[in-house]
Amino acid sequence: MHEINVLNEKFARAEANEILEYFINEYKDKTALSSSLGAEDQVLTDLMLKIDKNANIFTLDTGRLHPETYDVMDATNLKYGVKINVFFPLNEDVQELYSTQGINGHFESIENRKRCCGIRKIEPLKRALKPLKVWITGLRASQSVTRVDMPVVEWDENFKVIKVNPLINWSEEDVWDYIKANNVPYNKLHDQGFPSIGCAPCTRAIKPGEDIRAGRWWWENPEHKECGLHAK
């Protein structure tokens, strides 16, 4: 933990590209960004590929993503001349999920929803992170009540990796200023009122004045609105 505390102090006020450059150069292919293909992760993708054109970037295809998410994945691959690595859930687990709670059983209880997240997101993420030492995320403190105290660098006990949040102190305006200035591909659902984009059945557009995470698992209370990827 001493190393983590030192790194957190070192990068607490550092620029995102400085943080990324350090971890990419220090840990090389043991560092990866897990991208949801949302606005923040698109910013990080652009920053990382400018540092290293072979930077390790992966995404989780849950099998229930919006068509627009696949569009931005394709646009990103074409713009940067890369192929983002894709991890899928295990087919036998998805079949078992369907047999026990049907196609939309996640609406019926928090337990069902977390079971769905566990199969479609957590298990693939564990496989993706297993060979890594550093996990880069696009988390921002202002996104959710569950994220306000997250530091720039922390030890993730759930996945046993160093977790780095280079954009933790960025505002939403900072994100969009970067996207516009650097012509970064982004998910067109953002133009339709989706500040946060996950699986299609669990994501909706938000109304003016609503919290930016209000469109995620909108039938649940705010303190429950994590899938387990970033839970404490």
Side-chain angles (χ1 to χ4, degrees):
M1 284 301 296
H2 175 68
E3 177 192 4
I4 303 300
N5 291 335
V6 170
L7 289 171
N8 191 47
E9 289 180 14
K10 178 178 181 179
F11 293 115
R13 295 174 183 80
E15 297 292 335
N17 62 324
E18 181 184 351
I19 298 167
L20 291 168
E21 191 167 0
Y22 171 83
F23 285 99
I24 289 172
N25 291 334
E26 186 72 17
Y27 293 90
K28 305 193 185 309
D29 61 354
K30 297 297 182 182
T31 296
L33 165 67
S34 62
S35 174
S36 68
L37 300 161
E40 289 82 5
D41 293 329
Q42 289 299 99
V43 168
L44 289 172
T45 294
D46 186 83
L47 286 167
M48 289 177 69
L49 292 174
K50 284 175 177 174
I51 295 167
D52 180 357
K53 62 183 178 61
N54 297 311
N56 190 353
I57 300 168
F58 69 86
T59 192
L60 307 177
D61 186 344
T62 65
R64 304 208 65 181
L65 301 179
H66 295 268
E68 291 86 350
T69 301
Y70 294 106
D71 290 343
V72 76
M73 186 192 306
D74 186 49
T76 302
N77 287 342
L78 291 172
K79 175 178 173 67
Y80 300 104
V82 299
K83 279 193 176 177
I84 293 172
N85 297 317
V86 181
F87 287 81
F88 298 89
L90 300 175
N91 66 304
E92 58 268 29
D93 287 349
V94 176
Q95 288 170 196
E96 186 273 336
L97 181 72
Y98 177 74
S99 70
T100 56
Q101 65 180 54
I103 193 65
N104 286 327
H106 53 273
F107 289 121
E108 296 173 5
S109 69
I110 292 175
E111 291 73 24
N112 276 9
R113 197 268 293 169
K114 289 188 175 181
R115 173 70 175 149
C116 186
C117 289
I119 286 172
R120 295 183 183 275
K121 298 173 76 172
I122 305 304
E123 191 284 328
L125 180 65
K126 285 181 179 177
R127 277 187 279 123
L129 293 179
K130 189 173 182 180
L132 303 178
K133 292 184 178 179
V134 178
W135 174 21
I136 307 292
T137 86
L139 299 180
R140 293 189 297 106
S142 61
Q143 287 173 324
S144 170
V145 295
T146 62
R147 299 177 180 179
V148 292
D149 295 323
M150 283 187 173
V152 175
V153 183
E154 60 185 324
W155 173 254
D156 191 290
E157 184 60 30
N158 293 331
F159 298 106
K160 302 295 190 291
V161 291
I162 299 170
K163 185 176 178 182
V164 182
N165 311 308
L167 305 184
I168 199 70
N169 296 317
W170 281 39
S171 66
E172 185 176 3
E173 184 179 8
D174 292 332
V175 171
W176 287 103
D177 284 348
Y178 186 94
I179 286 173
K180 292 170 185 175
N182 293 275
N183 195 29
V184 176
Y186 67 90
N187 195 317
K188 298 309 177 187
L189 288 175
H190 289 307
D191 293 334
Q192 300 173 34
F194 287 72
S196 179
I197 302 168
C199 292
C202 296
T203 310
R204 66 165 173 80
I206 66 170
K207 300 172 185 176
E210 280 191 305
D211 180 83
I212 64 171
R213 294 276 290 179
R216 299 297 297 274
W217 308 296
W218 64 91
W219 63 96
E220 296 180 3
N221 293 328
E223 62 269 20
H224 296 141
K225 293 188 177 187
E226 291 289 358
C227 57
L229 266 65
H230 304 296
K232 289 291 186 182

